Amino acid sequence: MRSAALRRCLAPALAAAPPPPLPPRRGLSAPLPRAGSAAAAARKVTDNARNSLASLKRENPRLEPTLAIIQAHNDQLIQEANKNFAKEIGLRVIHICLPEGSTKDEIVSEILRLNEDPNVQGLALDLPESLYSSKVLNAVKPEKDVDGLSSVNLGRLVHGDVCDCLVPPTVCAVMELLEDIGGKKVLLVGARGAEGAALQSVLQRRGAAVSSCHWEAPQLQSELRHADTVVFGSTKPHDVPVSCIKPGATIINCARDPLPEKHSHGQQNTPAAEKTVGSLAVAMRMQNMVKTMERWIQSQQYRKWDLRSLKLQPLSPVPSDIEISRAQSPKAVDVLAKEIGLLTDEIEIYGQTKAKVRLSLLERLKDQPDGKYVLVAGITPTPLGEGKSTVTVGLVQALTAHLNINSFACLRQPSQGPTFGVKGGAAGGGYAQVIPMEEFNLHLTGDIHAITAANNLLAAAIDARILHENTQSDKSLYNRLVPVVNGVRGFSAIQLARLRRLGINKTDPETLTEEEISKFVRLGIDPSTITWQRVVDTNDRFLRRITVGQANTEKGFVRQAQFDIAVASEIMAILALTTSLQDMKERLGRMVVANDKKGQPVTAEDLGVTGALAVLMKDAIKPTLMQTLEGTPVFVHAGPFANIAHGNSSVLADKIALKLVGEKGFVVTEAGFGADIGMEKFFNIKCRASGLVPSVVVLVATVRALKMHGGGPNVTAGAPLKKEYTEENLQLVADGCCNLQKQIQITQLFGVPVVVALNVFKTDSPAEVDLVCKIAKESGAFDAVPCNHWSAGGKGAVKLAQAVEKAANQKTSFKYLYNLELPIVEKIRIIAQKVYGAQDIELSPAAQSQVDRYTRQGFGNLPICMAKTHLSLSHQPERKGVPTGFILPISDVRASIGAGFIYPLVGTMSTMPGLPTRPCFYDIDLDPITEQVKGLF
């Protein structure tokens, strides 16, 4: 119904007093009895809608259904009608009144804004006839289309998908006023556009013989004489005589000034009284809004997955990773998101195959039980890596694509340091990888760049603050920190917070005393205590020690500093451990960057940079959705190294995935390097932060690594493997299984069942594979399974998936390794002795001094994050197998207070890797014609 006509129809309807409420109501899905009076029908619809909405609100107490109506005219009649009906039903209505003469583009712009407003569940239009174009109607999101006029909604209506569409309110009103029309002739006159099409479809579905024509049609009078029912879709011209209408015919007027219902146009040779849809159409709109709310509530609930797996056709020999990745056609990421139950407003799409997932999902699915939680760890690896990421991907491909069990892989974002250095990418490999692998390994959605920017902004703020404090008086500093803007001086929010921490409860900058001003402006940073370093996501050994401040403009403020690799930044650790945007902001503010000259910690909050850091990180906090080669979902989020940080993907990715998979599903995440490194930190740091408890640990081993631990020759990246690794040697394997047994024992310290996944290489003999599995089971593993996912995809990990499913049903007795209340040194000693097998620890004087300082500052109750080589259980990379009797040297102790842990540096551990003689970048290239990346692996 067009707005001008509706205004004319509504005038008498609004003036008339509504009839009294009618008894027992039915649900909105039940058909209402045919009413002779539009007012009586409107009353029924209103009562029915009110009762249904009240029921929805009882079940959802925080529900505030909101309908937005865009109108482009000055007449208040329609607005008043909508408000009255909405108020009676219990709906909230927002009217957006645009000026008369608004263009279609202006209308569309307003529609698009309301489409993205999460507080608006329904959207309706009251516009002049000329503005009802397909461009305008189709701008409305189908799920918010209360008037049911978008092409998507009409398409569903025409095809009979009545459960997925809304019948336009005017059409509902017409059908409500008609008696039984089966087999009767219905003429639509002047009914154009979307409403005309909808009305014709519904009438035909009801069994009517429908014809339509416009007012100027030459056959109009003939059609009028034969029609049993006539529906006026627009104003009847004066030159069309009423006498043309068949006597006794029913007239439904959707458009022109209504006539009194009892008025007739004559006696026996005149048609029956006209019926108008005015107020009834408005009531039907509100009923549609309640139906929209029912669907909205249903859409917010957990949805069963409807995932279409991608087929694999493995080749032999197995092509390169990038060739395999390119041979598969990934699903569009919005399709994948819909398959796993994500809503359209919960994803932010980056290109065709990546999307950020908004944290609002956690609130929507807060009552949904979590799935099973699986951690993939490994034995002490060779420099080549043993395939934990590949096992992780192969396992979820097996669970979902082959066993039809919901599963999610949660992986870390790879650093460009290893990608261009030694190790290469981290998307898995062979037929068990994340695709597109080049997008996974290069930039992704820019999270590491955001971390780099935030980290270096804070580093710049530290040095700049020291410079300005060294070169300015208290008064000058105060005038610059709290400037007069437009004649007014005021503190920013973060400055007010600093004043409160200082015990200065004042908000007027003019009231501070000189002593208070000095306390406020002087951080008094001791440059020798600065622990915050600049970062870059490149292996660059020449940045391990640098000098800053050598330019004349820095006025002689020179100090020694260094760069760390970006993934070693505390901000990366915070991203991986945070549980919400608010939690991240608080953690960023707590980061300790140095001490002042009195020995007290100086934080990012003191420097006034917390809000800016949060702004830089606001998108990085959202996990990135990708897919495996077989089309199963993957979250890629955060990427801390396990040897110099805690080595786990994000808590948020895990939590979101656990909700999405459902109670019987699995979330598989991985911990960096060996179980002694990444897994220990997963349990003692990440599980404490998340409150999540793992169901199973999958421990990845390879015959190659076991032979190395059994006394085989050194394995060097880029060099061919010696014959000991390519020929059967059962003795080497048996001797090396001591490392596997030790890692199983470490896992058992935490009370979680362990399944050993033997990542099979083509050079492994059946006897070697059988021997490893036999020893693993005898050493306490729940099961040990050889896996061929690298060459066969998920099909090659089905037995592993079945073993994991069985193990997940075992009762666990999870426990942490140490109590947080223990002294820092004692916690370090427990890890060294129980996990690494050390005889004891030895702290350098500098390390002991730092421990004493952190204890005094109140940081002694934090967990420990050891920075240690991943190539040995000890601190010496060359010591393989299970070293014993060694003293673990602690050269330094640092604190990541925002992340929430103390990290001791073992031996000569570096936080900036270097490039080898022949880095991976020699093989990486770009085809200028196809723009395809070459050489990634």
Side-chain angles (χ1 to χ4, degrees):
M1 179 183 299
R2 302 303 180 237
S3 58
L6 180 59
R7 288 196 295 277
R8 292 193 291 272
C9 293
L10 283 173
L14 288 174
L22 297 172
R25 312 297 170 207
R26 288 181 286 277
L28 285 179
S29 58
L32 290 167
R34 299 295 163 224
S37 163
R43 175 80 278 160
K44 281 188 176 184
V45 171
T46 302
D47 290 347
N48 193 31
R50 181 179 60 248
N51 293 339
S52 295
L53 186 60
S55 177
L56 291 178
K57 287 183 174 181
R58 284 193 296 272
E59 295 169 3
N60 304 273
R62 291 185 294 176
L63 186 68
E64 188 178 8
T66 301
L67 170 64
I69 302 176
I70 299 174
Q71 65 181 57
H73 52 75
N74 295 324
D75 197 313
Q76 299 299 307
L77 192 57
I78 294 178
Q79 184 173 331
E80 193 66 26
N82 283 307
K83 282 184 177 178
N84 289 344
F85 276 93
K87 182 178 180 181
E88 190 169 352
I89 289 171
L91 293 168
R92 176 172 174 256
V93 170
I94 302 172
H95 273 89
I96 294 86
C97 300
L98 301 180
E100 288 192 65
S102 295
T103 66
K104 292 178 183 178
D105 287 340
E106 289 169 338
I107 302 293
V108 168
S109 177
E110 195 62 35
I111 290 171
L112 295 178
R113 182 184 70 80
L114 293 168
N115 279 345
E116 301 308 314
D117 188 340
N119 297 315
V120 171
Q121 293 83 32
L123 180 54
L125 305 175
D126 284 329
L127 307 172
E129 182 77 26
S130 60
L131 292 178
Y132 280 97
S133 67
S134 60
K135 176 180 179 179
V136 171
L137 295 176
N138 289 324
V140 180
K141 271 188 176 180
E143 56 267 33
K144 292 190 178 186
D145 181 18
V146 171
D147 286 340
L149 297 176
S150 67
S151 295
V152 171
N153 190 78
L154 287 174
R156 291 169 180 166
L157 180 63
V158 170
H159 284 92
D161 299 332
V162 291
C163 294
D164 294 325
C165 71
L166 290 175
V167 180
T170 301
V171 177
C172 287
V174 170
M175 301 309 296
E176 186 67 29
L177 294 175
L178 288 175
E179 303 294 337
D180 180 27
I181 57 171
K184 293 185 178 180
K185 295 180 180 179
V186 178
L187 176 64
L188 307 182
V189 188
R192 299 185 296 270
E195 272 185 350
L199 184 54
Q200 184 163 346
S201 175
V202 173
L203 286 167
Q204 288 174 337
R205 198 170 297 280
R206 191 71 66 81
V210 184
S211 59
S212 64
C213 64
H214 52 80
W215 291 111
E216 295 79 19
Q219 75 275 21
L220 174 60
Q221 292 191 21
S222 173
E223 294 281 357
L224 288 171
R225 291 191 186 97
H226 294 91
D228 300 310
T229 298
V230 180
V231 179
F232 295 164
S234 56
T235 304
K236 182 180 80 65
H238 293 295
D239 58 353
V240 177
V242 175
S243 60
C244 295
I245 299 175
K246 176 182 176 181
T250 300
I251 301 174
I252 305 294
N253 189 348
C254 299
R256 72 186 188 92
D257 292 329
L259 296 171
E261 285 193 48
K262 62 183 179 180
H263 176 76
S264 63
H265 298 285
Q267 301 300 321
Q268 298 177 350
N269 294 326
T270 58
E274 284 184 3
K275 299 177 182 178
T276 62
V277 299
S279 59
L280 180 55
V282 179
M284 290 294 187
R285 170 183 275 177
M286 299 306 156
Q287 176 175 268
N288 274 1
M289 179 60 192
V290 177
K291 289 181 179 179
T292 298
M293 287 309 306
E294 290 175 340
R295 292 175 184 177
W296 182 83
I297 291 169
Q298 189 176 15
S299 75
Q300 302 301 300
Q301 296 169 353
Y302 176 78
R303 299 184 197 174
K304 186 178 179 181
W305 285 19
D306 184 21
L307 189 137
R308 175 183 62 88
S309 299
L310 301 177
K311 299 301 180 185
L312 281 183
Q313 294 181 327
L315 301 177
S316 183
V318 176
S320 69
D321 290 350
I322 199 163
E323 288 174 321
I324 294 172
S325 175
R326 290 224 177 100
Q328 184 63 288
S329 296
K331 292 179 280 192
V333 72
D334 59 329
V335 172
L336 173 64
K338 185 176 181 180
E339 289 178 342
I340 62 174
L342 286 164
L343 306 182
T344 54
D345 60 359
E346 289 174 339
I347 61 170
E348 299 169 2
I349 295 175
Y350 285 64
Q352 296 296 313
T353 55
K354 306 184 296 290
K356 286 286 193 182
V357 175
R358 293 175 178 166
L359 308 188
S360 58
L361 178 143
L362 286 171
E363 176 63 23
R364 175 170 70 87
L365 296 181
K366 63 182 179 182
D367 297 325
Q368 167 67 22
D370 288 346
K372 302 288 188 181
Y373 198 25
V374 179
L375 175 68
V376 176
I379 64 171
T380 305
T382 69
L384 306 178
E386 309 317 306
K388 290 189 308 301
S389 298
T390 308
V391 169
T392 301
V393 174
L395 176 54
V396 295
Q397 288 181 179
L399 283 165
T400 301
H402 297 271
L403 298 180
N404 199 31
I405 298 171
N406 292 356
S407 71
F408 232 111
C410 292
L411 299 175
R412 291 173 292 164
Q413 179 184 352
S415 163
Q416 289 179 178
T419 299
F420 291 100
V422 175
K423 193 179 177 188
Y431 287 100
Q433 56 175 306
V434 181
I435 57 171
M437 66 91 75
E438 59 266 49
E439 293 188 27
F440 178 94
N441 287 306
L442 301 173
H443 306 296
L444 198 62
T445 47
D447 294 356
I448 292 180
H449 300 315
I451 290 165
T452 302
N455 183 101
N456 293 344
L457 175 62
L458 180 52
I462 296 167
D463 288 325
R465 186 60 176 260
I466 294 172
L467 171 69
H468 295 313
E469 287 190 23
N470 286 345
T471 56
Q472 297 180 52
S473 66
D474 290 352
K475 183 177 180 181
S476 295
L477 278 170
Y478 192 61
N479 288 337
R480 286 175 170 82
L481 288 170
V482 194
V484 176
V485 179
N486 296 326
V488 179
R489 171 181 278 187
F491 294 115
S492 68
I494 200 166
Q495 289 176 327
L496 288 170
R498 172 163 167 75
L499 286 170
R500 288 192 293 271
R501 289 196 304 278
L502 293 171
I504 303 171
N505 297 312
K506 296 179 180 178
T507 57
D508 184 353
E510 305 298 339
T511 61
L512 267 65
T513 65
E514 289 187 4
E515 181 182 359
E516 289 170 338
I517 288 174
S518 182
K519 285 175 66 178
F520 173 73
V521 301
R522 298 281 170 189
L523 296 181
I525 295 172
D526 179 353
S528 68
T529 67
I530 295 174
T531 55
W532 194 264
Q533 310 298 343
R534 290 168 173 82
V535 300
V536 63
D537 196 35
T538 304
N539 289 1
D540 192 343
R541 62 178 69 249
F542 282 89
L543 293 178
R544 290 171 177 168
R545 182 65 60 193
I546 62 170
T547 303
V548 297
Q550 293 191 353
N552 293 334
T553 51
E554 274 50 74
K555 303 177 183 179
F557 172 59
V558 178
R559 70 179 181 89
Q560 293 290 307
Q562 68 184 60
F563 269 79
D564 292 338
I565 194 161
V567 293
S569 169
E570 182 176 353
I571 297 177
M572 174 62 87
I574 287 173
L575 178 67
L577 292 170
T578 193
T579 55
S580 68
L581 195 55
Q582 180 62 35
D583 178 55
M584 182 180 75
K585 188 175 177 181
E586 292 172 0
R587 286 172 179 269
L588 291 170
R590 290 199 299 267
M591 294 187 300
V592 173
V593 300
N595 293 318
D596 63 19
K597 292 167 184 175
K598 297 178 182 178
Q600 295 304 306
V602 177
T603 67
E605 186 80 2
D606 293 326
L607 284 158
V609 74
T610 306
L613 299 181
V615 167
L616 287 170
M617 294 294 295
K618 72 179 181 66
D619 292 318
I621 195 173
K622 303 164 191 170
T624 299
L625 176 66
M626 294 188 75
Q627 64 193 284
T628 68
L629 277 166
E630 298 191 54
T632 66
V634 178
F635 273 142
V636 187
H637 201 214
F641 284 170
N643 53 352
I644 55 179
H646 74 285
N648 291 240
S649 64
S650 78
V651 167
L652 281 170
D654 292 355
K655 286 195 165 189
I656 293 173
L658 284 164
K659 295 298 183 186
L660 286 171
V661 297
E663 192 170 8
K664 295 182 180 179
F666 286 79
V667 171
V668 184
T669 189
E670 54 102 15
F673 300 125
D676 58 305
I677 302 285
M679 186 195 73
E680 180 271 315
K681 296 170 184 176
F682 174 89
F683 287 135
N684 286 317
I685 298 174
K686 184 176 179 180
C687 288
R688 277 189 163 107
S690 68
L692 300 173
V693 176
S695 306
V696 187
V697 169
V698 174
L699 192 63
V700 178
T702 63
V703 169
R704 177 181 67 193
L706 293 173
K707 286 181 175 179
M708 179 190 71
H709 289 297
N714 287 337
V715 176
T716 305
L721 289 171
K722 302 290 176 55
K723 66 180 179 61
E724 286 85 350
Y725 296 104
T726 59
E727 298 176 0
E728 182 179 289
N729 191 323
L730 294 177
Q731 189 60 52
L732 270 184
V733 172
D735 291 345
C737 278
C738 61
N739 187 271
L740 173 60
Q741 292 169 311
K742 173 64 175 175
Q743 303 288 8
I744 292 172
Q745 291 168 10
I746 294 170
T747 307
Q748 291 171 334
L749 290 173
F750 299 93
V752 180
V754 56
V755 173
V756 171
L758 183 61
N759 203 4
V760 176
F761 287 44
K762 64 181 180 181
T763 54
D764 300 343
S765 74
E768 290 173 330
V769 169
D770 291 344
L771 178 61
V772 174
C773 292
K774 177 176 178 292
I775 292 174
K777 292 175 186 177
E778 291 173 349
S779 302
F782 176 84
D783 204 348
V785 184
C787 305
N788 296 286
H789 45 271
W790 181 82
S791 59
K795 184 178 179 181
V798 167
K799 289 184 179 179
L800 173 63
Q802 292 168 335
V804 167
E805 186 180 14
K806 290 178 183 177
N809 292 322
Q810 301 296 302
K811 187 175 181 180
T812 62
S813 53
F814 175 72
K815 54 185 177 294
Y816 298 116
L817 185 65
Y818 51 79
N819 191 316
L820 291 179
E821 305 303 317
L822 291 172
I824 293 174
V825 172
E826 186 58 29
K827 286 181 283 193
I828 297 172
R829 180 174 286 110
I830 289 173
I831 295 171
Q833 292 178 335
K834 291 190 176 182
V835 177
Y836 306 152
Q839 180 179 327
D840 204 351
I841 61 173
E842 182 178 59
L843 275 69
S844 70
Q848 186 61 60
S849 175
Q850 287 289 74
V851 167
D852 295 341
R853 173 176 290 161
Y854 294 141
T855 303
R856 286 196 308 272
Q857 292 174 342
F859 304 139
N861 291 342
L862 295 175
I864 304 299
C865 182
M866 303 288 281
K868 183 187 80 70
T869 179
H870 60 288
L871 297 173
S872 172
L873 284 163
S874 75
H875 58 288
Q876 298 167 302
E878 68 277 6
R879 296 189 68 177
K880 307 301 181 183
V882 182
T884 57
F886 59 92
I887 304 296
L888 193 74
I890 309 300
S891 58
D892 196 5
V893 177
R894 300 176 187 172
S896 292
I897 304 304
F901 53 71
I902 302 291
Y903 68 102
L905 274 68
V906 178
T908 57
M909 195 66 212
S910 173
T911 51
M912 169 55 83
L915 288 172
T917 304
R918 192 187 189 283
C920 295
F921 63 63
Y922 275 93
D923 301 309
I924 297 172
D925 200 0
L926 181 70
D927 186 318
I929 306 300
T930 64
E931 298 186 11
Q932 287 191 335
V933 177
K934 300 177 180 179
L936 273 180
F937 69 96

